[in-house]
Amino acid sequence: GVNFLNKPVKLLGVGATKPIITIAPSFSPGASVITTANSNTSFDNLQIDMPASTGLTGITAALGGQLITNITINGPGADDSKGIVVSDASPRVRTSTINLGSGTSSAVVVESSTSAIIDDVNVTHATNAVSLSSALNFKIRRMKSHSANGVVGLASSGTVSSSVIMPSSISAENSGG
């Protein structure tokens, strides 16, 4: 993947079709397609395709303040993977669509963060729509999720509003049939 380390980065896709960024399936578990650790970073209008591998991440953005907008993450065969991982102060994920594989996949992961904002995110498939760990004062608004689990959290506090969270599959046992 591409690692911008602590450099400020602005990746802006131009045109009617989003530019596609991907990595080879041979990357080891834990690899990210894009990694950054700078609060003056933004990503807009991009598609990230993750190969049918295990344990990959689309975007890892540490040190807070990042703006991640209009991103499509496609990894239907990427089991046990993460779409977008953000941490630290005030990261924002907006107007994005995430489709991941099964296992323990999470569309958006918020770690050790204060005031994370997730707006207008559509999770078409993942085990968890949003995984929170030590996320304080988070706001999730207008999220649509078809994940097995909606928002899961550990030592976290915040609000979820105006969102639709539905399981990705309903068995006959819990559908009334």
Side-chain angles (χ1 to χ4, degrees):
V2 180
N3 189 338
F4 294 107
L5 299 172
N6 60 354
K7 306 286 189 238
V9 175
K10 295 195 186 303
L11 283 179
L12 171 62
V14 178
T17 304
K18 293 178 182 179
I20 299 171
I21 301 171
T22 190
I23 60 175
S26 59
F27 272 77
S28 61
S32 289
V33 178
I34 298 173
T35 303
T36 183
N38 187 288
S39 61
N40 293 314
T41 294
S42 63
F43 303 105
D44 189 6
N45 197 40
L46 300 170
Q47 178 172 324
I48 296 175
D49 286 351
M50 297 187 342
S53 294
T54 299
L56 299 177
T57 300
I59 296 174
T60 300
L63 296 183
Q66 304 88 358
L67 177 58
I68 300 169
T69 305
N70 197 21
I71 301 295
T72 298
I73 296 185
N74 232 350
D79 293 341
D80 301 322
S81 295
K82 299 170 185 165
I84 299 171
V85 177
V86 294
S87 62
D88 214 13
S90 305
R92 293 158 292 166
V93 179
R94 295 190 170 141
T95 324
S96 297
T97 300
I98 302 169
N99 178 30
L100 297 176
S102 300
T104 57
S105 61
S106 293
V108 178
V109 177
V110 180
E111 301 173 333
S112 302
S113 178
T114 304
S115 303
I117 297 173
I118 301 168
D119 283 337
D120 302 302
V121 171
N122 183 17
V123 179
T124 58
H125 189 267
T127 307
N128 303 311
V130 179
S131 295
L132 304 163
S133 177
S134 299
L136 303 177
N137 302 317
F138 67 85
K139 290 181 182 158
I140 300 171
R141 301 178 288 214
R142 298 174 306 278
M143 181 178 70
K144 292 181 189 173
S145 169
H146 295 280
S147 59
N149 304 313
V151 178
V152 296
L154 182 64
S156 298
S157 62
T159 60
V160 178
S161 62
S162 303
S163 298
V164 177
I165 302 172
M166 298 175 16
S168 58
S169 63
I170 300 175
S171 68
E173 289 177 20
N174 56 15
S175 67

